[in-house]
Amino acid sequence: MLFRSTIKRNAAFINEGSIQATTTGNQAVTAAALKILAQGSTASLINTGTISALASTTDTGVASLSAYGIQDLSGTLTNIVNTGSIAAAATTLDNGLQKIVAIDISHTSANELVTTNGVITGDVLFGSAPMVGNTTNAGNQLIIQGSGAAVSGAVLKGSGTLDIYVSFDGTGGILQTDNTQATTLKVGENGTTKFALNKNTTTAPLIATTGVTSFNLGTTMAVTPSTFLPESQTYTLVSSNVAGGVHIETPGTTTALTIPYMYKGTVTCDDSACGSDP
């Protein structure tokens, strides 16, 4: 009797060119540039080119509109390395319910890692991976590092855990967000955090963590309105669910936060750790 076993390595999907999806018309539509169906399987993606999706409509009264750069419905895509561009864009609807998602890997409880020294434009949605064993490491990780690295959009941990590192090696990186929900956020030297405000921004924190948020020596923070803002409003930029959970290493950083020239404002910190070494 001959007993055979064939094992194949799950090779990475590599994009070195351009993958694009564009939809338009007067109906509710969805554009997905790279979509992995529930029956599919792709464990790793390396993007050195462009992955982009555009969903547009001539009728802004439609109920919904969705654009996905990468949409994984299989729950098998757990590692993404981006040195190029992953982007999504959609027409703004009257009801504001358009979805602009650069990466959706939310359909799994497995540990996920997204590393970029390129550009990601649109929301990034993670899955439900819990903390790793008895360590303090979250199951999901987002690493933004490099002088050309930038993530612009919401970053959401879903029901899982998520650690975000911006310029952890001091080489630079930008997180521009109006809604980030994570376990921890650590911004290293030469890292930049941009708080994206618009006319619909509420008092809910733009960045909320269940653990520690830290801004190390040599980081930059700025307010970046995308629309005209109300005449007067108070915004919560960062919050942590743990006592003393917001650490700002450089005293005075909060008062030095950049506010656009058309506006004036003050910045306060009610966390006892602000302005102290983490």
Side-chain angles (χ1 to χ4, degrees):
M1 176 182 290
L2 181 63
F3 183 80
R4 291 179 176 174
S5 176
T6 302
I7 300 175
K8 295 183 179 180
R9 181 173 63 88
N10 195 343
F13 180 91
I14 300 175
N15 175 51
E16 298 176 331
S18 180
I19 302 174
Q20 297 181 341
T22 302
T23 60
T24 189
N26 60 358
Q27 302 294 320
V29 293
T30 297
L34 178 57
K35 185 172 185 176
I36 305 170
L37 298 178
Q39 301 80 9
S41 178
T42 301
S44 183
L45 167 66
I46 299 173
N47 178 56
T48 62
T50 299
I51 300 175
S52 63
L54 171 63
S56 62
T57 179
T58 56
D59 180 6
T60 57
V62 298
S64 63
L65 200 64
S66 303
Y68 292 87
I70 299 170
Q71 184 183 29
D72 174 34
L73 302 179
S74 71
T76 62
L77 180 58
T78 57
N79 185 45
I80 297 175
V81 178
N82 175 54
T83 60
S85 174
I86 302 173
T91 303
T92 300
L93 301 180
D94 295 341
N95 61 13
L97 296 181
Q98 67 281 348
K99 292 183 179 179
I100 303 174
V101 182
I103 299 173
D104 180 2
I105 49 174
S106 62
H107 294 75
T108 183
S109 61
N111 298 340
E112 297 172 325
L113 172 63
V114 176
T115 303
T116 184
N117 61 16
V119 176
I120 298 176
T121 305
D123 299 346
V124 181
L125 312 180
F126 285 89
S128 56
M131 300 298 288
V132 179
N134 294 323
T135 71
T136 57
N137 295 324
N140 300 317
Q141 312 280 325
L142 171 61
I143 299 174
I144 307 167
Q145 62 177 11
S147 59
V151 173
S152 302
V155 181
L156 305 178
K157 66 182 181 65
S159 61
T161 59
L162 172 64
D163 290 334
I164 302 175
Y165 301 93
V166 182
S167 187
F168 77 101
D169 58 355
T171 59
I174 299 172
L175 172 63
Q176 177 169 313
T177 185
D178 60 354
N179 182 15
T180 286
Q181 300 172 19
T183 305
T184 66
L185 168 64
K186 299 180 180 180
V187 184
E189 183 179 6
N190 297 316
T192 299
T193 306
K194 296 183 178 181
F195 302 98
L197 301 178
N198 61 60
K199 61 183 180 180
N200 297 317
T201 301
T202 65
T203 57
L206 275 71
I207 295 177
T209 61
T210 57
V212 173
T213 297
S214 62
F215 300 90
N216 290 349
L217 183 69
T219 64
T220 300
M221 291 186 283
V223 172
T224 57
S226 58
T227 66
F228 284 105
L229 301 178
E231 183 175 344
S232 179
Q233 179 64 282
T234 298
Y235 303 100
T236 301
L237 303 181
V238 183
S239 73
S240 169
N241 282 355
V242 297
V246 178
H247 296 286
I248 299 177
E249 187 168 343
T250 307
T253 297
T254 53
T255 56
L257 183 143
T258 302
I259 297 176
Y261 74 95
M262 293 181 64
Y263 304 92
K264 63 180 180 180
T266 59
V267 181
T268 60
C269 182
D270 57 10
D271 193 306
S272 60
C274 289
S276 64
D277 292 341

